[in-house]
Amino acid sequence: MTTSHKRRIAVACQGGGSHTAFTAGALAAILKRHGDGFDIVALSGTSGGAICAFLTWYGLLHGGEQDAENRLIGFWNDNAANDVWDSLVNDVMVWAARWRHAMPFPEISPYDLPTVGQDKLRTLLKRHANFAEIGAHIADDSPGLIVGAVDVLSGDFKSFHGTQVTMEAILASAAIPTLFRAVHVNGSVYWDGLFSQNPPIRDLTDFRPDEIWVIQINPQRRRYEPKSVEDISDRRNELSGNLSLEQEVYFIEKINELVEQQLLKTDKYKHISMERIVMETDLEYFSKIDRSPRLVKSLIDHGAEQANRFLDRRFNT
């Protein structure tokens, strides 16, 4: 593909627990080639995808592409279960998730447990971003940011934009209800954005991109019919994770159709190409809570590989 001008690109990052390390690798590869035929005008994300989108956005505002890449990879390296105690806890949680269908486990509310997980996430975010200084780095030509969550009480989707993306907004987007307590933001109560827009896409049209690149964690297709209890549960979770994504993509495709039929004003609406960078590693659902360094590194490497293949197809042919 050859271009006479740089393409305006928005990047939407799907959430998926530890699998979102794939997104970090993909974004790191994109950042290495940022400006080479394209510019990032906006990012969006949900759950782990929200963390990746935020760190990329913050790094671009704060110090540029290398800064953003360092924060992304640094976060995921720090999030991995590196020390002995954390590794033991990680192994127990993965073991319990693996055998959840074969052995009875008591259901425990996160409100009956210490907030260790959320506290650790808060500490990691503070280590890699200074939320208090965000506003000072935003200029008129800065890329946009959208983070998705869902209001537990009203059921409304919530998109946090730009300076609305506080520490609490990120924690809200990542608040998996079976693991973390709901997060209170400005009088509302929020859960993980996986229940709403995974990831937010339609609001990216406000930044008038030429293309939207979706970094997709959950596989769209499977080759074999799931028959075991574990396989059925895994596939159900994959389809649930992709449901809101496909609804968001359909919105863009419908707008494109109306634009092509000249039924919408072209001064407000434009055709936007939809592209996907897809994780192709076949992993079981329980591995979404696995923070082993080996898995995190392999997913980062896979994300970089998939993104580079995608970029080669888009800009070198």
Side-chain angles (χ1 to χ4, degrees):
M1 174 181 174
T2 59
T3 57
S4 58
H5 68 284
K6 291 182 180 180
R7 305 284 286 172
R8 295 173 57 84
I9 304 300
V11 183
C13 306
Q14 190 178 50
S18 295
H19 290 186
T20 324
F22 169 87
T23 302
L27 284 169
I30 290 170
L31 287 165
K32 287 182 184 298
R33 297 167 68 168
H34 185 220
D36 183 15
F38 66 91
D39 280 326
I40 297 174
V41 298
L43 298 115
S44 73
T46 292
S47 195
I51 294 172
C52 289
F54 167 74
L55 290 173
T56 301
W57 178 75
Y58 180 90
L60 288 173
L61 294 181
H62 190 269
E65 290 84 357
Q66 188 61 58
D67 185 86
E69 180 183 349
N70 291 343
R71 292 177 192 277
L72 269 173
I73 304 304
F75 173 89
W76 283 100
N77 286 339
D78 289 347
N79 187 51
N82 292 301
D83 62 61
V84 175
W85 173 249
D86 199 14
S87 178
L88 177 62
V89 172
N90 180 70
D91 290 346
V92 169
M93 292 186 65
V94 173
W95 177 85
R98 181 194 296 268
W99 294 103
R100 67 193 184 279
H101 298 298
M103 301 175 64
F105 290 97
E107 295 287 342
I108 302 176
S109 167
Y111 291 86
D112 296 327
L113 297 171
T115 58
V116 176
Q118 279 174 309
D119 292 343
K120 178 177 180 179
L121 179 54
R122 185 186 296 273
T123 299
L124 287 177
L125 288 169
K126 284 182 179 179
R127 184 181 303 167
H128 293 281
N130 183 347
F131 286 81
E133 68 172 16
I134 289 176
H137 292 279
I138 297 178
D140 291 340
D141 59 349
S142 297
L145 176 67
I146 304 171
V147 166
V150 64
D151 189 312
V152 179
L153 303 183
S154 70
D156 294 335
F157 297 169
K158 173 63 178 179
S159 294
F160 296 95
H161 292 244
T163 54
Q164 295 177 344
V165 182
T166 61
M167 169 76 76
E168 299 308 309
I170 297 292
L171 293 174
S173 184
I176 303 171
T178 55
L179 297 177
F180 298 144
R181 301 180 185 187
V183 177
H184 294 241
V185 182
N186 297 328
S188 296
V189 184
Y190 293 102
W191 268 348
D192 193 297
L194 297 175
F195 293 97
S196 55
Q197 297 163 295
N198 186 23
I201 292 178
R202 66 185 67 187
D203 287 349
L204 290 172
T205 60
D206 293 341
F207 301 93
R208 297 190 62 77
D210 298 310
E211 302 178 13
I212 295 176
W213 297 350
V214 178
I215 302 179
Q216 185 170 348
I217 300 298
N218 293 313
Q220 190 69 20
R221 296 178 176 83
R222 287 291 188 186
R223 289 181 292 175
Y224 305 108
E225 177 184 355
K227 295 183 178 180
S228 69
V229 173
E230 292 83 359
D231 288 345
I232 291 170
S233 178
D234 286 353
R235 187 56 177 154
R236 182 187 64 191
N237 283 308
E238 289 169 355
L239 293 174
S240 297
N242 283 339
L243 177 61
S244 61
L245 167 62
E246 296 308 318
Q247 291 174 334
E248 293 286 289
V249 170
Y250 175 79
F251 176 86
I252 302 299
E253 291 176 343
K254 191 63 178 179
I255 293 296
N256 287 342
E257 179 184 326
L258 295 174
V259 168
E260 290 168 3
Q261 295 174 357
Q262 298 183 337
L263 297 176
L264 291 175
K265 294 181 178 179
T266 54
D267 58 340
K268 183 176 181 181
Y269 297 97
K270 59 186 287 187
H271 183 280
I272 300 174
S273 298
M274 294 294 304
E275 306 291 342
R276 304 194 194 206
I277 301 170
V278 182
M279 189 175 82
E280 294 183 350
T281 302
D282 189 9
L283 296 173
E284 295 176 288
Y285 181 78
F286 68 79
S287 63
K288 287 188 175 183
I289 65 169
D290 185 1
R291 295 182 295 108
S292 63
R294 177 194 56 79
L295 178 64
V296 170
K297 183 180 185 306
S298 68
L299 286 170
I300 290 173
D301 291 344
H302 180 49
E305 180 183 24
Q306 291 293 92
N308 279 319
R309 286 179 178 175
F310 168 80
L311 291 169
D312 287 343
R313 291 195 304 269
R314 295 294 291 158
F315 295 99
N316 290 351
T317 58

